[in-house]
Amino acid sequence: MKNMAGRIPEEIIEQVRTKSDIVDVIGQYVHLKKTGRNYFGLCPFHSEKSPSFAVHPDKQLFRCYGCGEAGNVLSFVMKVEGLEFPEAVRQLGSRVGIEVPHQQDRPEDDRIRRKKDTMLSAHDFAAKLYHHLLRNTDHGENARNYLLNRQIQLATIEEFALGYSPDSWNTLLYQLEKREYPLPLMEEAGLLSRSENGERLFDKFRGRVMFPIHDSQGQVVAFGARALGDAQPKYLNSPETPLFNKSQLLFNLHRARTSIRKQQEAVLFEGYVDVISAWQAGIQNGVASLGTSLTEQQARIIRRNSEHVTICYDSDQAGTLAAFKAADLLEKAGCFVKVAQMPGGMDPDDYIRKYGGERFRNDILLHASSVMAFRLQVIRSRYALSDETERMQYIHEALTEISHLPSAVERDHYMRQLAEEFHLSLDALKLEQKKVFKTQKKTNNRDNLKEGWNNSIDNSRHVAAKPLLPAYLTAEKHLLALMMQSAEITEQVQAQIGADFAVDDHVALAAHLYRYYAQGYDSDTARFVSFLQDRRLIDRASELALLDVDASTVTARQLADYVRQVLTYPKRMQIEELNREKNTQERAGNALAAARIGMEIIRLQQSLK
């Protein structure tokens, strides 16, 4: 990450930073709970089940006490969205109403930005065009009737900007070309397709109801499309593009996020229309995966927004299997999962249209069962329980499922239900369950550790135990933390230590602090972090800024001790090296050389006193 101020005026960066409250911004990505003066949540950058990710509103900084990631509001957006610094500033600037200039970008940065901006502009235009064609033209009459017949109201059509792509090869192409959008780039953006012989471009979507798909910022980045006639495939999504990765987005999340966090629950549907019908019925915390099964990334996104999820899929076999898979991923992501079971042959949209939103909420969502109860019910449906042989087979399969539960309390709960229902001895069931568990353990090698739960952007990261730090390193860290809080302390350290820190990153941070105060800035930790130009240094500075040291209460004696630890470290290292050399000479029988080295060691030790 190169100089920010060289491309974007520093005063603009500072305005964006100070107007972007870090709790509000990070709260868009991570579910935060207030504990004391700070907020905690699950770290989005590494694997964990217990929240170790802290946001400090007083310092406008974040830090994960598990993996060590740290920074201010700008560096968080860079990391979580995968943006370069200028893009992060512009994204936050747009959020708080500050216009951030583009003209000073590097040529390569400017090319990438203009490419993405053009793609976003084209998607926004296409969404408006499709919506206009649906609402206001004869071309969209069949699509309008299709939606209205499914009881989707005009207000809902407006809210979701639903549209229609005419059954034409060049409706969108003509409009894009007329507005001078580069057509090869429109192909890369997924709006146009190319004929097999490569000679001509044509509209990607034709004769379909269009569902705009938005990113986390509410920008249209893709489309889902449903055929009105017999065209195949029935549903078609935009291809993967620089804007759109379907495994990392959820339909309607940007709209549902507020409701999800308010209710502390998300409802996961299979299809776009299910989400839209539920929204119209007042259930506004619904999301859906994008035409495919739920992915690990999507499960982690849901978990960042809520611990509680209700899966509400179709009641057919495919929907049941998909619910099982989604439940596994969500539970691994740390969610508490329930499954809402639809009556046979119905999907959520069918049910809402037939019985209304209130019955759907009360009879379906509020009666959602645990994942295990759902599994047992599905297993049960495959057996004729009036037949003794099939009844025993069901009990054995049920015990196999129950054995997978990690909680002894849960296992006991479901075995008691089996015992009561079939008038069996609970002790006998527990004995049988232990046999089943031993078989599973032997077959599946269950005594090996399972793969860890993962909510991270970078799956390769693991958190190691932290060793105790040597005194000089603690001293350097504490000094730098104090320097970020006080220009006066920085002046003292500069006079006494200068650049003589042992750790390279600390040398660099000290130099930046000297320059920062020399330019007349006041002590402001979050601003100093923005002043830095290197991502690694931003991490280090943010970590140090959150150490439990206070410039207003530190004593002169403590400061002097920190300085002494830093200044004497080279001599202590020299003494260690001389001791090793002395031992070598002694083993070699060189008594005179060993004695000379011993005298030098004594001299250095005396100088440390």
Side-chain angles (χ1 to χ4, degrees):
M1 186 176 71
K2 296 299 180 185
N3 180 8
M4 317 152 204
R7 290 183 301 226
I8 301 172
E10 191 170 316
E11 60 271 19
I12 298 293
I13 295 171
E14 185 61 10
Q15 287 177 31
V16 170
R17 185 189 67 78
T18 54
K19 286 195 174 184
S20 301
D21 182 77
I22 195 167
V23 175
D24 291 342
V25 173
I26 294 182
Q28 295 293 309
Y29 301 87
V30 179
H31 173 58
L32 298 172
K33 291 182 179 179
K34 190 172 185 181
T35 303
R37 297 168 59 187
N38 302 317
Y39 293 80
F40 285 83
L42 290 175
C43 179
F45 304 118
H46 88 282
S47 306
E48 65 176 6
K49 285 188 176 181
S50 299
S52 63
F53 180 86
V55 181
H56 301 259
D58 54 340
K59 296 184 178 180
Q60 289 292 296
L61 296 171
F62 73 89
R63 184 188 177 192
C64 176
Y65 291 90
C67 70
E69 286 283 2
N72 64 4
V73 66
L74 291 165
S75 52
F76 176 85
V77 172
M78 289 173 63
K79 291 168 184 172
V80 79
E81 292 280 5
L83 302 177
E84 293 299 320
F85 184 85
E87 293 175 295
V89 176
R90 291 185 186 108
Q91 181 167 301
L92 284 174
S94 175
R95 187 176 182 271
V96 297
I98 296 174
E99 185 175 353
V100 179
H102 292 288
Q103 64 267 23
Q104 294 180 334
D105 279 354
R106 291 180 305 174
E108 180 61 18
D109 290 339
D110 186 59
R111 186 189 68 79
I112 294 171
R113 177 191 57 77
R114 285 189 287 106
K115 176 179 176 179
K116 287 187 175 181
D117 284 352
T118 302
M119 287 183 171
L120 285 169
S121 172
H123 275 84
D124 182 66
F125 169 74
K128 290 175 178 175
L129 175 64
Y130 292 145
H131 182 64
H132 168 74
L133 291 169
L134 173 75
R135 289 284 283 114
N136 304 314
T137 71
D138 293 339
H139 296 290
E141 183 177 5
N142 289 339
R144 280 198 307 275
N145 290 336
Y146 166 78
L147 293 171
L148 294 173
N149 288 337
R150 294 195 69 159
Q151 298 179 21
I152 296 177
Q153 300 163 7
L154 290 177
T156 306
I157 291 173
E158 290 291 333
E159 172 66 37
F160 285 83
L162 303 182
Y164 173 68
S165 55
D167 194 7
S168 161
W169 293 96
N170 63 355
T171 299
L172 178 61
L173 184 149
Y174 172 75
Q175 295 295 337
L176 291 172
E177 190 172 29
K178 181 179 177 182
R179 286 158 179 79
E180 298 184 347
Y181 284 98
L183 297 187
L185 186 61
M186 297 300 95
E187 179 187 6
E188 186 180 352
L191 295 172
L192 303 178
S193 293
R194 189 173 293 275
S195 59
E196 290 186 5
N197 60 17
E199 292 182 358
R200 68 185 183 94
L201 291 167
F202 54 88
D203 290 3
K204 175 76 174 179
F205 301 105
R206 304 177 305 281
R208 293 176 178 269
V209 176
M210 303 298 292
F211 300 86
I213 296 169
H214 300 77
D215 64 11
S216 62
Q217 304 304 309
Q219 301 177 105
V220 180
V221 294
F223 292 95
R226 188 196 189 282
L228 284 177
D230 297 327
Q232 293 297 322
K234 185 176 180 180
Y235 289 96
L236 180 66
N237 274 348
S238 293
E240 300 275 314
T241 72
L243 299 181
F244 178 53
N245 184 329
K246 63 185 176 183
S247 69
Q248 296 180 359
L249 294 176
L250 287 160
F251 179 73
N252 197 49
L253 179 62
H254 73 291
R255 191 180 286 107
R257 183 185 285 118
T258 300
S259 182
I260 289 172
R261 293 186 174 178
K262 183 177 180 180
Q263 299 182 44
Q264 263 308 287
E265 181 183 32
V267 181
L268 178 63
F269 294 101
E270 270 192 286
Y272 306 146
V273 176
D274 294 331
V275 172
I276 293 170
S277 292
W279 177 279
Q280 183 174 272
I283 299 153
Q284 300 187 341
N285 56 336
V287 295
S289 53
L290 298 169
T292 58
S293 299
L294 191 76
T295 66
E296 290 183 15
Q297 296 98 317
Q298 290 167 335
R300 294 197 294 270
I301 291 168
I302 292 173
R303 176 60 184 87
R304 289 178 206 159
N305 288 276
S306 174
E307 289 181 322
H308 298 275
V309 185
T310 297
I311 299 171
C312 191
Y313 282 4
D314 295 356
S315 59
D316 58 15
Q317 184 177 6
T320 298
L321 293 174
F324 284 154
K325 179 182 177 183
D328 286 341
L329 290 173
L330 288 164
E331 287 183 329
K332 287 177 182 177
C335 292
F336 299 103
V337 183
K338 291 184 177 181
V339 181
Q341 301 176 55
M342 301 301 306
M346 299 190 80
D347 61 29
D349 174 51
D350 295 331
Y351 192 96
I352 292 170
R353 282 191 285 132
K354 185 171 182 178
Y355 299 111
E358 186 174 353
R359 277 191 62 178
F360 178 73
R361 185 190 301 276
N362 295 332
D363 296 350
I364 302 298
L365 294 183
L366 292 183
H367 281 81
S369 59
S370 68
V371 176
M372 180 52 64
F374 177 62
R375 289 183 184 278
L376 294 178
Q377 185 166 332
V378 171
I379 294 169
R380 182 191 184 98
S381 68
R382 298 199 292 260
Y383 292 95
L385 297 183
S386 58
D387 180 89
E388 184 177 355
T389 301
E390 294 207 20
R391 187 163 63 248
M392 290 299 103
Q393 289 174 336
Y394 163 66
I395 292 170
H396 180 79
E397 189 171 351
L399 288 174
T400 302
E401 285 295 328
I402 292 169
S403 294
H404 290 302
L405 289 170
S407 167
V409 173
E410 288 185 88
R411 292 196 299 269
D412 183 81
H413 170 75
Y414 290 108
M415 281 191 284
R416 286 181 185 276
Q417 286 188 346
L418 281 177
E420 291 173 7
E421 181 178 3
F422 296 106
H423 307 290
L424 298 170
S425 162
L426 180 59
D427 289 338
L429 277 179
K430 288 184 176 181
L431 184 63
E432 185 65 22
Q433 185 268 327
K434 287 181 180 178
K435 292 179 182 177
V436 169
F437 179 79
K438 287 180 180 179
T439 302
Q440 289 175 341
K441 188 174 181 180
K442 185 181 295 183
T443 304
N444 301 322
N445 196 22
R446 282 190 53 172
D447 50 347
N448 288 338
L449 289 175
K450 290 186 177 180
E451 182 178 337
W453 182 83
N454 192 333
N455 70 322
S456 67
I457 288 173
D458 180 358
N459 294 350
S460 66
R461 299 191 64 168
H462 301 283
V463 180
K466 296 179 180 177
L468 291 175
L469 299 179
Y472 84 90
L473 188 52
T474 299
E476 289 194 0
K477 286 174 175 282
H478 284 192
L479 273 180
L480 287 165
L482 292 166
M483 290 163 68
M484 281 187 266
Q485 299 175 29
S486 168
E488 183 180 349
I489 290 176
T490 302
E491 187 177 349
Q492 294 178 39
V493 172
Q494 185 172 12
Q496 295 176 290
I497 296 177
D500 292 334
F501 288 86
V503 179
D504 288 344
D505 282 350
H506 295 172
V507 175
L509 285 173
H512 282 297
L513 279 162
Y514 302 152
R515 183 165 62 91
Y516 176 79
Y517 287 119
Q519 292 182 14
Y521 295 115
D522 295 328
S523 56
D524 182 333
T525 303
R527 181 167 192 171
F528 172 67
V529 170
S530 295
F531 182 82
L532 298 171
Q533 302 178 10
D534 181 274
R535 182 172 293 188
R536 188 181 72 258
L537 292 182
I538 288 173
D539 290 346
R540 298 294 176 271
S542 302
E543 176 187 346
L544 296 174
L546 297 175
L547 291 176
D548 188 19
V549 294
D550 188 343
S552 65
T553 60
V554 69
T555 66
R557 183 174 180 178
Q558 286 173 312
L559 278 175
D561 184 59
Y562 291 150
V563 170
R564 184 181 63 81
Q565 288 288 347
V566 173
L567 291 178
T568 58
Y569 173 71
K571 289 184 179 180
R572 290 196 298 272
M573 292 299 98
Q574 188 178 356
I575 289 171
E576 286 187 15
E577 179 61 30
L578 287 171
N579 272 315
R580 285 192 290 271
E581 178 62 21
K582 178 173 173 287
N583 291 335
T584 300
Q585 295 296 338
E586 287 174 345
R587 287 195 298 270
N590 299 325
L592 185 59
R596 289 199 195 99
I597 295 172
M599 294 297 292
E600 178 65 13
I601 291 172
I602 292 171
R603 186 187 66 78
L604 289 170
Q605 287 173 333
Q606 289 175 340
S607 70
L608 292 177
K609 295 179 180 178

